Amino acid sequence: MTSAIDTREASAASEASPLGTSLLLVVTDVRLAAEGVVTITFVDPDGEQLPAWEPGAHLEILLPSGLRRQYSLCGSASDRHRYQVAVLKETEGRGGSVEIHDTGLVGKILPVDGPRNHFALAPSRRYLFIAGGIGITPIFAMIQALPEGADWELHYGGRTARSMAFVEELRSISSDRVHVVPQDAEGLLPIDAIVAAADADTAIYCCGPGPLLDAVQDARARLAPAAAFHFERFAASATRPAAADLGDDQTVEVVLARTGVTLEAGPERSLLDAIRDVVPAVPFSCTEGYCGSCEARVLEGTPDHRDEILTEAERAAGDTMFPCVSRALTRRLVLDI
Ligand code: FES
């Protein structure tokens, strides 16, 4: 399904592009991948190669309404001429997925930031993939990228068989290694039994709704503490304290190095809110520390990380932070904004 590109829209989008937008891509195809799930294909308007990406990466898309949303790439990373994401329609969500499903996007040019990757596939002898619902998208990209002979297994749960995307494609890669569990017919994924099989040579990769991630995290701590664990959330963890409950925050002096402005963020508001007073177009989406949209490079100072994205090593490096939830261990922070 394709249509002509509206170049007037392209120039309008370019002018409206907020900080951090790096690409203008045209939507060439929107199609149903499962009940309530569409795949969207983007290409460069001039047919140029797109920036390389690795499985686990996501795009941040600026929708015509102005909403910013992040979606994991789910196509083949070796295809340098198109990006593909999958979007579940969430009628109780914050509006982005409904806009994508209900707006005719084919032919439109949209600002797209990325690809960025906070969920990279690290080398491992064995992979245990656990996906819930639309959480299959980054996992599907990972499985497509594994070398022949890799040792892996996928456990994929969903509400119903009809709501689960990419099942046939996954089974065509390996019917033996793919275990599909529709909840209405077979119940929930048996997380304890699945995770208990993971040993020190296993990397567990999990993506899906919060309760699934919490269950896998808990099972791994009890039953497979030696296994490496990588996960990506679509919503804040139920067990993460709210920002207001995290203790006595101090006022932070924030220097926006590129903008040339110094501001103060008192304990009653997030650094992101204070930054947006000065730079209203600074990217953000979830405001809860799990989407990665507001990432800022730290040039000086020590962040007090409160996000759900960075690994321990990345936290220790201290060169990036998410100001929607994180604050500072030093009185002053200098950010590359
Ligand atoms: S806005 Fe989502 S991590 Fe900050």
Side-chain angles (χ1 to χ4, degrees), residues 143-165:
I143 289 172
Q144 291 177 81
L146 288 176
E148 199 155 330
D151 185 359
W152 62 274
E153 201 170 275
L154 166 67
H155 297 267
Y156 177 17
R159 262 184 314 107
T160 64
R162 288 196 308 176
S163 70
M164 298 172 73

Side-chain angles (χ1 to χ4, degrees), residues 60 70 94 272 283-295 307-309 321-326:
E60 182 165 292
Q70 300 78 33
R94 293 177 299 149
L272 176 66
F284 74 99
S285 180
C286 72
T287 69
E288 293 184 62
Y290 63 83
C291 77
S293 175
C294 68
E295 182 169 12
D307 61 89
E308 305 206 39
I309 299 166
M321 71 178 294
F322 301 92
C324 64
V325 289
S326 298

Side-chain angles (χ1 to χ4, degrees), residues 52-73:
W53 61 281
E54 295 193 350
H58 67 270
L59 298 179
E60 182 165 292
I61 300 164
L62 182 61
L63 296 172
S65 65
L67 290 174
R68 288 184 157 271
R69 291 294 178 264
Q70 300 78 33
Y71 297 105
S72 296
L73 284 154

